[in-house]
Amino acid sequence: MPIMKPKTREPSEAADAPNGQLSFAELVEGLTSGDHAVRLGAVRSLGIQGGTPAIDVLCQHLVIDSDRSTRDVIAVELARLGGEAVVEGLMPLLRSDDAALRNIAIDILKELPTDVAPRMEALLDDPDPDVRIFLVNVLEALRHPSVEDWLVAVITMDTNVNVVGTALDLLNEVGSTSSVPALRAAIARFPDEPFVTFSAGNALRRIGSAA
Amino acid sequence: MKHVLIIDDATTVRMYHRQILSEAGFAVDESINGVEALEKALTKRYDLFVVDVNMPKMDGYRFLRELRSNADVHQAPAVMVSTEAEAKDRDAAWAAGANYYMTKPTKPGALTRVAHLLTGEAQ
């Protein structure tokens, strides 16, 4: 789901927000209402309130509420709010067994390059290789000047062949001549993995260098 | 000639699997997610689906559930290909409607053998 992130909320939009007079506790309770409109209103109002408690609640509610439209509205609000609290709140979702939930978390993180970029090196050290794969997928959309450097670091140091394979897939798009030594080293580091040879070799050909 | 649909959001994985299966004598089409794959499966009869798990828009599990519940689609066998190798991941694949489960990265010989077996072209 590509998230259409509004940069800011218009003042008139905040004034017209549903549940504008309700307390934080009442809005949290509204999230569990059987009335879909009440749930959506609570989500929007919590998005207007902002702050770490509201962000934590919205991130947790993504896990609980499997309704697609509610999840979409939460995603838009979190992408609009951004910040460290949103990144922190979404990281556990990357470990979920719910593939749709992981995709939502990835889509939101892709909308937050300025919040994700300063933490990317630390995030790519996550002990769970599946999380590292998802983070490499986030890199695809970050459009940050360090993306190639991060990818080179992954294919140089990561010991999991599938994390390396995911980074190689992206280097096939963004890799430049500065990736050539790391691409050759990856082929040498995984001599028994035909996919690494194929993907790194393909990147080298695209860049214009022989494997 | 048997027709295979490869469904994976990673370009190089699609290229890699296409090369392997083409060299093994299969006609190969590609889709980048489950939504696109379902559209193709509704308009063309495939003999095998090679399905990634984690994809945007529609993941591999949901694709298989939609496929298996759609009477208008030819019910070809499906190989689920995933980076995840735990028993729960295999169980989820079987439950969704997969016929075989392979962990990434695939080896050419293994993928070719499975494709031949599942399409009745065992060599």
Side-chain angles (χ1 to χ4, degrees), chain A residues 1-2 68 97 99-100 102-103 107 130 133-134 137 161-162 165 168-169 172-173 192-195 198-199 202, chain B residues 9-13 15-16 19 53-57 59 61-62 82-84 88-89 104-108:
Chain A
M1 176 203 66
R68 192 167 172 180
D97 287 336
R102 290 196 305 262
N103 281 338
D107 283 340
D130 289 332
I133 287 171
F134 297 137
N137 284 326
V161 66
N162 284 310
L168 285 172
D169 189 60
N172 268 271
E173 293 177 35
D192 300 324
E193 293 294 353
F195 175 68
F198 175 89
S199 189
N202 202 58
Chain B
D9 59 324
T11 307
T12 53
V13 174
M15 290 166 64
Y16 176 66
Q19 179 173 297
V53 171
N54 291 305
M55 294 179 285
K57 292 190 179 174
D59 63 72
Y61 297 132
R62 196 168 142 226
S82 171
T83 58
E84 292 149 6
K88 67 180 171 67
D89 302 310
K104 286 183 178 178
T106 56
K107 296 288 197 289

Side-chain angles (χ1 to χ4, degrees), chain B residues 32-95:
Chain B
I32 61 171
N33 59 51
V35 175
E36 192 182 291
L38 270 181
E39 287 170 0
K40 286 188 175 167
L42 279 165
T43 57
K44 182 171 176 177
R45 181 190 165 110
Y46 288 99
D47 301 292
L48 180 69
F49 299 99
V50 178
V51 189
D52 180 31
V53 171
N54 291 305
M55 294 179 285
K57 292 190 179 174
M58 184 187 286
D59 63 72
Y61 297 132
R62 196 168 142 226
F63 164 75
L64 284 176
R65 285 194 293 272
E66 299 272 349
L67 179 82
R68 296 308 185 212
S69 63
N70 193 326
D72 295 328
V73 178
H74 174 63
Q75 294 299 315
V79 183
M80 184 152 258
V81 187
S82 171
T83 58
E84 292 149 6
E86 294 180 28
K88 67 180 171 67
D89 302 310
R90 293 173 188 271
D91 291 345
W94 306 140

Side-chain angles (χ1 to χ4, degrees), chain A residues 90-98 102 106 120-137 154 158-164 166, chain B residues 54 82-86 88-89:
Chain A
L90 293 174
M91 287 306 294
L93 276 54
L94 295 180
R95 303 175 205 285
S96 168
D97 287 336
D98 180 346
R102 290 196 305 262
I106 290 169
M120 187 50 81
E121 281 181 36
L123 294 172
L124 285 170
D125 271 341
D126 193 284
D128 184 342
D130 289 332
V131 171
R132 300 202 298 278
I133 287 171
F134 297 137
L135 289 168
V136 172
N137 284 326
V154 168
D158 204 296
T159 55
N160 183 286
V161 66
N162 284 310
V163 181
V164 171
T166 307
Chain B
N54 291 305
S82 171
T83 58
E84 292 149 6
E86 294 180 28
K88 67 180 171 67
D89 302 310

Side-chain angles (χ1 to χ4, degrees), chain B residues 1-2 24-26 112-123:
Chain B
M1 182 180 271
K2 300 287 186 181
F26 293 94
T112 302
R113 264 193 307 279
V114 169
H116 281 308
L117 280 169
L118 290 178
T119 57
E121 299 267 298
Q123 296 180 330

Side-chain angles (χ1 to χ4, degrees), chain A residues 42 49 122 178 211:
Chain A
Q49 279 198 3
S178 63

Side-chain angles (χ1 to χ4, degrees), chain A residues 38-175:
Chain A
V38 172
R39 291 211 306 280
L40 291 184
V43 168
R44 292 197 183 99
S45 295
L46 284 165
I48 290 167
Q49 279 198 3
T52 303
I55 289 168
D56 285 347
V57 166
L58 290 174
C59 288
Q60 289 167 21
H61 199 70
L62 269 178
V63 180
I64 299 164
D65 197 329
S66 58
D67 176 71
R68 192 167 172 180
S69 62
T70 308
R71 280 182 164 183
D72 286 350
V73 174
I74 293 174
V76 169
E77 291 298 332
L78 289 173
R80 186 184 60 77
L81 288 165
E84 190 177 341
V86 173
V87 177
E88 286 292 335
L90 293 174
M91 287 306 294
L93 276 54
L94 295 180
R95 303 175 205 285
S96 168
D97 287 336
D98 180 346
L101 183 61
R102 290 196 305 262
N103 281 338
I104 290 171
I106 290 169
D107 283 340
I108 300 169
L109 290 170
K110 283 178 175 176
E111 293 292 328
L112 306 173
T114 53
D115 301 316
V116 174
R119 310 181 69 242
M120 187 50 81
E121 281 181 36
L123 294 172
L124 285 170
D125 271 341
D126 193 284
D128 184 342
D130 289 332
V131 171
R132 300 202 298 278
I133 287 171
F134 297 137
L135 289 168
V136 172
N137 284 326
V138 170
L139 283 180
E140 181 182 5
L142 281 191
R143 295 183 189 88
H144 189 278
S146 297
V147 165
E148 186 174 4
D149 292 339
W150 288 324
L151 292 171
V152 164
V154 168
I155 69 167
T156 303
M157 289 184 284
D158 204 296
T159 55
N160 183 286
V161 66
N162 284 310
V163 181
V164 171
T166 307
L168 285 172
D169 189 60
L170 190 46
L171 276 171
N172 268 271
E173 293 177 35
V174 304

